[in-house]
Amino acid sequence: MALFLRRGAALAARSIRAAAASSASTSVHRLPSVGSLAGAGELAPTKLFLLEARRGFAKGKKSKDDGRGDTVQDAPDIGPTVKSAATQQMEAAVVALSRELSKLRTGRASPGMLDHIMVETTGVKVALNRLAVVSVLDAHTLSVMPYDPSSMKSIEHAIISSPLGINPTPDGNRIIANIPPLTKENIQALCKVVTKSAEDFKQSIRRARQKALDTIKKSASGMPKDDVKRLEKEVEELTKKFIKSADDMCKAKEKEISGN
């Protein structure tokens, strides 16, 4: 009986040891962490692909169009814009010069010589040519016909107060303005004013030229050299054209002042 019990205990111990050995030999496969692909060689190719895709998405990777950086864009043609801007500025200078010269008195009657006179009416200053029609009666006489007869006194006072040296007289519903002849001293003084005005506005034309050349210079790196030279030449030609226009205008005004 004792022999039988010892054999049974030995068999039970062998069974326990065999079961423990079998459990230790069983391997467990785990997926590698998202941050590392160590051990990925033990996975099937399909699972490895899905793991790579998931890892890339988690890091926010985006596909890039490599060809997009190879696109070469042509530099825009700035010529029309530069010339248009320069022309507008130079034209504005010539128009302003013409307006200034029209304010200067001459020995002959001219409707424009009263345009710059400001008339105060109902507490507001308004240009005379917006309140009345000015016309030439003869070489030395102007007629001023107010749209509103009640403004005659204000217009008459404004003409007297102007630096033109005109003494108007009422004549019914109009004002008669006699233009006195200019003295030699008056003519010399007015011609100096014309010369000064001409130089001031020619400087405005030259500033427009310089601004255009600066714009061309800034864009020169993206333009062919021949195009840069051509555009600079065209700007110079524009400048000469408007300078000549200003000079011709002033010569005509001096001639009108001197009566020659």
Side-chain angles (χ1 to χ4, degrees):
M1 183 66 177
L3 180 61
F4 177 78
L5 290 174
R6 286 196 295 271
R7 287 180 179 177
L11 288 172
R14 283 198 297 270
S15 297
I16 291 171
R17 286 196 297 271
S22 176
S23 175
S25 65
T26 303
S27 61
V28 179
H29 293 283
R30 297 179 182 273
L31 284 174
S33 63
V34 174
S36 171
L37 290 181
E42 298 178 11
L43 299 178
T46 302
K47 291 182 179 179
L48 181 60
F49 171 80
L50 293 174
L51 181 61
E52 279 278 25
R54 185 176 64 184
R55 184 182 178 219
F57 179 78
K59 291 189 176 181
K61 291 183 178 179
K62 297 181 180 179
S63 61
K64 296 181 179 179
D65 184 3
D66 295 333
R68 192 177 296 175
D70 297 332
T71 303
V72 178
Q73 296 182 348
D74 294 335
D77 183 6
I78 65 168
T81 302
V82 170
K83 288 188 291 184
S84 176
T87 299
Q88 289 178 8
Q89 293 169 19
M90 293 178 186
E91 283 179 345
V94 171
V95 170
L97 174 60
S98 175
R99 188 164 53 245
E100 285 298 311
L101 293 180
S102 70
K103 298 176 183 179
L104 299 178
R105 241 203 87 172
T106 66
R108 297 180 61 84
S110 169
M113 67 192 306
L114 303 182
D115 284 351
H116 70 286
I117 295 177
M118 301 301 292
V119 181
E120 186 171 351
T121 175
T122 64
V124 180
K125 288 188 176 182
V126 184
L128 186 148
N129 60 359
R130 296 182 61 184
L131 298 175
V133 177
V134 181
S135 56
V136 176
L137 295 181
D138 57 48
H140 301 285
T141 310
L142 291 175
S143 169
V144 182
M145 181 72 72
Y147 296 122
D148 181 2
S150 65
S151 64
M152 277 189 62
K153 284 292 182 182
S154 298
I155 293 173
E156 182 182 355
H157 177 72
I159 295 173
I160 294 172
S161 301
S162 73
L164 297 176
I166 299 175
N167 292 311
T169 56
D171 182 23
N173 290 331
R174 67 178 182 176
I175 298 171
I176 300 298
N178 291 309
I179 311 301
L182 291 172
T183 64
K184 184 177 180 180
E185 291 75 15
N186 292 148
I187 292 173
Q188 291 176 346
L190 287 170
C191 286
K192 287 181 180 179
V193 173
V194 170
T195 302
K196 178 67 168 55
S197 296
E199 190 54 39
D200 289 344
F201 286 101
K202 283 192 287 186
Q203 285 295 332
S204 297
I205 294 172
R206 294 187 185 103
R207 282 194 294 270
R209 163 189 169 273
Q210 189 58 51
K211 187 175 180 179
L213 294 177
D214 289 345
T215 302
I216 296 170
K217 185 177 180 180
K218 290 178 181 178
S219 304
S221 60
M223 298 171 59
K225 291 184 178 180
D226 290 343
D227 289 349
V228 172
K229 291 180 179 180
R230 174 183 53 78
L231 189 52
E232 288 176 342
K233 184 178 179 181
E234 289 174 353
V235 170
E236 293 291 352
E237 290 173 352
L238 272 176
T239 304
K240 290 178 181 179
K241 171 187 172 183
F242 283 102
I243 289 289
K244 184 178 184 304
S245 178
D247 283 336
D248 291 345
M249 194 180 296
C250 291
K251 288 177 181 178
K253 189 65 179 182
E254 289 175 348
K255 185 177 180 179
E256 184 182 352
I257 289 171
S258 60
N260 297 329

